[in-house]
Amino acid sequence: MATNSSLRLALLAVAALVAVAYPIVSGSSGSFLTIVWAKALPVLGIILLLQAGQVSFGHAMFFAVGAYTIGFVGRAMAGGELVLLLVAAAFASLLAGLLVGVFVVRYRYIFFGMLNLAFSMVLFSMLEKFIHVTGGSDGLRIARPTILGEAMGRAQYETILYYVSLAILALALYGGARFLDSPLGHALKAIKSNETRVEYLGISARLVLLVAYVASAVLAGLGGALVGAIQGIATPDYAYWVRSGEFVFVAILGGTGHVAGALAGAFVYEFIRSSAAAYVGDTWQMTLGIVLLAVILFAPRGIVGMAADLWGRLTGGSARAEPAPEEADAPDAPAREPRPLRIVGGGR
Amino acid sequence: MSALISARGIAIRFGGVVAADGVSLDVFAGDHLAIIGPNGAGKTTFLNICTGYLKPQGGTVQFKGRDILGSSPRAITRLGIARAFQIPQLFLEQSVRENMLIAAASQARRFAPFARLADIPERGDVEHLLALVDCADVADRKAGELPEGKRKLVDIALALALKPEVLLMDEPTSGVASSEKFTIMDTLVAALRERAVTAVFVEHDMEMVSRYANRVAVWSAGTISRQGPPAEVLNDPEVVRTVIGG
Ligand SMILES: Nc1ncnc2c1ncn2[C@@H]1O[C@H](COP(=O)(O)OP(=O)(O)OP(=O)(O)O)[C@@H](O)[C@H]1O
Ligand SMILES: [Mg+2]
């Protein structure tokens, strides 16, 4: 429907306009939102991997690689230049993603998840133990870099970080959506439903997963670099498994069926975290837990799925990604559970 | 004439079950070879071996004179042997058209990360193939929503999208409504002839065999007990007793 898609485009434009105008109108540097933009990046990485049905419980390692990279490079260059630092962070996390990826893409499901966790814990303890290099648990200070050669005051720096994060996120969301719509992206989704057939089509499932893995590592690395730049410090906590779990949590909260889930999830998560912390003190984890429980029970497709349903109802169109139950129960429809990957046939 | 696929002395057993005990079988270029035999004889196992999914305990398999035992299904697919499955193997959460486009993209090696799958130049071929197996009407539905018969047909179309030199089909029309089975096979087999695709099909339906095969191999008790033109083999009293009548 033309009106439907142009309405959607208009909404997107309004959202973009609000995001761009926010620091100007509010007069604040929007640091809450900067964190949202930055943290949506690793979540997007998790969503990419989830397309293949794989969950990483270790992506905080790349988050840390990004943050420590700008720490180290910045220190070596006495502050450094933001653009250069971000490029370095992307490059370092790409390398790390390739290194770890070549190994983990050979595994699936629980083994994939746990191997990622194991790698991240190795990095975590290295960051803690090699005090002379990393600063140990005190962390590594990240000095304020110049931006395109200009030294910045604090407020100005934060405003620019806001826009840089927003721009990187917008690009990443667009690129992610394009990728998922490409032959590679579809092959990635195909791994989830039938890896055997993927191979029987002449496609290397491992290679496809590796591409997605490296992309997800770069996204996590950029997110870590931005959060590091905002907070002015990188600590071993950046690589801690709780943070890895948080990325997965936020992905499920936002909805794993669409790249926008990363943004929606990150926004709601940070919002609950900051407001619950203000109102109910240190029980904010409980609030989050209840929210996640509700999402899993009542809106398994996350916030984005919920929004799509609502949108469908409002416009009368069908924005549903799932068939309605009555369709699924049509007489010629087979059972909907996926068939086992048994291809040998065997006795019948 | 030299064989396209040449299996020699294939031996494989699963525990006490002997699926093949020194089987040798040639597939010649242009063949439409039917493999028949009782349930659990080892026919599917043979296809699994030829495509690298299973490794036999003994024997060799050559494709155009080149050893392919030990190669992966992916490598063998790339060499030009495509397979359709007894139990359809589809990407259930993606549309039928997307299933097909993935196969076509793989065949043409179109993996630019930001190109749209739906826009690949092979999309016309995909529509054509879907029409060929009478699945054009379900192109937009998720593969997981299709009835069994349609899934079988999409499964064959997926293999065809790979433009293979040899197509291995495992009971291609089991589950397909008998009202449309011959119509579809007529078009399919004509298309295979037109493209000079060599075909091997495992089949339980003797009407299909006599109609579409130029050669029949009878697989029973771990060996090939009989081989030859359908008219001869299907009338052999021994074959009638062990396979067809049984
Ligand atoms: N991977 C496997 N592991 C264990 N047993 C197997 C395996 N594959 C096949 N078999 C067994 O080997 C025998 C041959 O199986 P196969 O599937 O090849 O038979 P088939 O001739 O295709 O039968 P049908 O006509 O019923 O499809 C059966 O007894 C089956 O249970
Ligand atoms: Mg079989």
Side-chain angles (χ1 to χ4, degrees), chain A residues 178 194 197 200-201 334 344, chain B residues 44 51 106 114 146 151 155:
Chain A
R178 285 292 300 263
N194 198 332
R197 190 54 181 253
Y200 264 103
L201 293 182
V344 289
Chain B
T44 299
T51 54
S106 166
F114 299 108
L146 300 190
R151 289 195 206 190
D155 191 271

Side-chain angles (χ1 to χ4, degrees), chain A:
Chain A
M1 239 187 304
T3 48
N4 196 333
S5 71
S6 53
L7 192 64
R8 206 183 298 204
L9 214 66
L11 273 179
L12 199 68
V14 170
L17 212 68
V18 169
V20 169
Y22 178 78
I24 305 165
V25 175
S26 73
S28 86
S29 52
S31 60
F32 164 78
L33 282 176
T34 315
I35 292 281
V36 170
W37 309 147
K39 280 207 183 163
L41 289 167
V43 177
L44 177 59
I46 294 293
I47 288 178
L48 288 186
L49 292 176
L50 277 168
Q51 303 305 307
Q54 306 305 315
V55 186
S56 165
F57 286 110
H59 258 50
M61 73 180 127
F62 304 114
F63 197 73
V65 165
Y68 275 88
T69 299
I70 71 164
F72 286 134
V73 177
R75 189 169 68 182
M77 296 171 50
E81 160 65 42
L82 184 70
V83 178
L84 207 88
L85 294 181
L86 290 177
V87 171
F91 189 69
S93 43
L94 184 144
L95 273 185
L98 206 57
L99 224 67
V100 178
V102 163
F103 191 71
V104 298
V105 297
R106 308 162 73 88
Y107 298 86
R108 297 289 177 272
Y109 305 110
I110 192 75
F111 304 103
F112 178 88
M114 291 299 117
L115 264 174
N116 275 285
L117 176 69
F119 274 110
S120 74
M121 289 313 281
V122 169
L123 181 66
F124 172 77
S125 42
M126 273 165 47
L127 293 175
E128 283 228 305
K129 294 279 144 43
F130 297 123
I131 296 175
H132 298 297
V133 188
T134 62
S137 51
D138 288 344
L140 182 68
R141 254 188 52 73
I142 298 170
R144 198 181 306 153
T146 59
I147 297 175
L148 298 176
E150 301 279 328
M152 296 280 156
R154 184 178 169 76
Q156 201 184 4
Y157 176 66
E158 285 184 352
T159 306
I160 289 182
L161 270 185
Y162 174 94
Y163 285 112
V164 168
S165 306
L166 179 61
I168 290 177
L169 177 66
L171 257 173
L173 289 175
Y174 177 73
R178 285 292 300 263
F179 174 73
L180 290 184
D181 206 20
S182 76
L184 263 180
H186 279 279
L188 189 68
K189 292 177 215 164
I191 292 175
K192 180 177 175 183
S193 50
N194 198 332
E195 184 164 347
T196 307
R197 190 54 181 253
V198 170
E199 294 279 331
Y200 264 103
L201 293 182
I203 300 169
S204 165
R206 282 184 191 171
L207 194 61
V208 172
L209 191 55
L210 182 63
V211 170
Y213 192 86
V214 171
S216 73
V218 171
L219 289 168
L222 280 171
L226 289 168
V227 171
I230 297 158
Q231 299 187 332
I233 190 164
T235 61
D237 273 1
Y238 276 55
Y240 199 49
W241 64 269
V242 171
R243 194 178 282 272
S244 294
E246 181 186 305
F247 297 152
V248 176
F249 181 111
V250 176
I252 292 169
L253 180 68
T256 57
H258 195 279
V259 292
L263 176 56
F267 183 83
V268 171
Y269 180 85
E270 290 301 322
F271 182 76
I272 293 176
R273 200 165 81 137
S274 58
S275 51
Y279 293 114
V280 287
D282 49 7
T283 56
W284 63 271
Q285 286 100 333
M286 196 173 81
T287 314
L288 273 173
I290 291 168
V291 168
L292 188 68
L293 214 62
V295 165
I296 288 173
L297 289 177
F298 303 112
R301 292 189 297 128
I303 297 164
V304 167
M306 219 150 53
D309 285 344
L310 200 69
W311 177 265
R313 219 166 300 156
L314 286 179
T315 57
S318 64
R320 287 177 290 111
E322 293 287 324
E326 58 274 19
E327 259 170 64
D329 288 337
D332 67 337
R336 298 190 62 241
E337 73 271 20
R339 300 199 153 240
L341 281 189
R342 195 177 62 107
I343 67 164
V344 289
R348 299 185 291 179

Side-chain angles (χ1 to χ4, degrees), chain A residues 344-346 348, chain B residues 39-40 42-45 86 170-171 202 204:
Chain A
V344 289
R348 299 185 291 179
Chain B
N39 285 144
K43 306 176 296 293
T44 299
T45 300
Q86 183 168 359
D170 204 345
E171 304 186 22
V202 172
H204 281 290

